[in-house]
Amino acid sequence: MLIALYEKGTPFEARTVDLGDAGARAGLAALWPLGKIPVLRDEERGATIPETSIIIEYVERHYPGAAPLFPEDPDARLEARLWDRIYDQYVQGPLQKIVIDRIRPEDGRDPAGVAEARAALATAYAMIERRMAGRTWAAGEAFGLADCAAAPALFYTGIVEPFPPGHSNLAAYFERLMARPSVARVIAEARPYFPMFPFNEAIPARFLA
Ligand SMILES: N[C@@H](CCC(=O)N[C@@H](CS)C(=O)NCC(=O)O)C(=O)O
């Protein structure tokens, strides 16, 4: 969500939610019972919008700013939504499984589930490798919705399950994402929270300073 807001230059006030704090969790659940971040609260329109993809579409409609994040062409828009779903469900999803398993007590771990998640990532990497042959961004011609989903997902999956050798289109796409100023800014702002990431010892040095 932050990447999209930075791309557009949308003014907003950021509120950090400490998910380890019961009071903060209750406040978040009052806004959105599933208790997931991010949630956008638009006081002007009296609207509460959860889920990153929906937030980005809402901002695109009501506060479009300088940078459109959806292609004009309806078929390309569908592709943008598809690749947003792929990154959210089939890259970010397995990532969360692997990360959550690592912070569980030893006797609550699920090695079979983690192995499935790693296999799912390998499948997703191969799909992205094929998709990105000859492409610059995930859908359409410009940076957009699906790239906003891809950047944080691939940043963290690349750490827990490195891209396999020979996935040169995926690797080049990853470098384009990391070079995007909105993405670089979000990663720099995430740096103070890196120690909370259970694989933080594997974060490449170039992202640490
Ligand atoms: N599909 C959702 C995923 C949101 C999500 O999973 N957020 C995580 C942080 S990355 C969260 O709030 N976790 C807290 C929890 O599950 O208790 C989106 O894109 O907004």
Side-chain angles (χ1 to χ4, degrees):
M1 177 190 77
L2 286 174
I3 295 168
L5 295 177
Y6 291 156
E7 286 285 333
K8 288 183 169 298
T10 319
F12 67 97
E13 184 192 326
R15 300 256 178 97
T16 306
V17 182
D18 178 358
L19 293 167
D21 177 87
R25 282 193 91 94
L28 177 63
L31 274 183
W32 177 231
L34 291 177
K36 302 279 180 192
I37 52 170
V39 174
L40 179 77
R41 175 68 197 161
D42 180 353
E43 294 296 347
E44 209 161 289
R45 303 190 71 256
T48 300
I49 318 293
E51 286 289 316
T52 306
S53 320
I54 311 303
I55 293 171
I56 295 176
E57 192 155 350
Y58 176 91
V59 173
E60 179 90 0
R61 184 172 308 163
H62 296 292
Y63 306 95
L69 293 174
F70 287 78
E72 289 261 334
D73 174 67
D75 291 332
R77 283 176 92 93
L78 263 191
E79 286 210 339
R81 289 199 178 90
L82 172 63
W83 281 91
D84 169 75
R85 295 295 75 226
I86 290 172
Y87 281 108
D88 198 30
Q89 301 201 57
Y90 305 109
V91 181
Q92 183 75 25
L95 167 72
Q96 289 190 351
K97 172 72 186 171
I98 295 165
V99 168
I100 287 167
D101 196 80
R102 178 90 169 231
I103 54 184
R104 279 188 179 155
E106 202 109 5
D107 62 357
R109 293 202 178 148
D110 173 17
V114 168
E116 281 170 15
R118 290 191 181 282
L121 281 180
T123 301
Y125 287 167
M127 278 179 72
I128 299 164
E129 175 63 15
R130 285 195 299 276
R131 168 72 178 173
M132 294 314 294
R135 299 193 64 83
T136 304
W137 301 115
E141 298 303 315
F143 183 95
L145 171 76
D147 304 296
C148 293
L154 291 177
F155 176 77
Y156 288 106
T157 59
I159 295 162
V160 306
E161 183 70 26
F163 307 146
H167 284 45
S168 55
N169 300 323
L170 166 59
Y173 174 50
F174 180 73
E175 291 307 323
R176 276 194 296 284
L177 288 171
M178 294 303 114
R180 188 89 183 169
S182 59
V183 174
R185 179 173 172 188
V186 167
I187 289 174
E189 289 173 356
R191 225 169 265 147
Y193 304 101
F194 282 172
M196 294 163 68
F197 180 60
F199 294 83
N200 69 330
E201 76 292 339
I203 297 176
R206 67 175 170 136
F207 296 119
L208 298 177

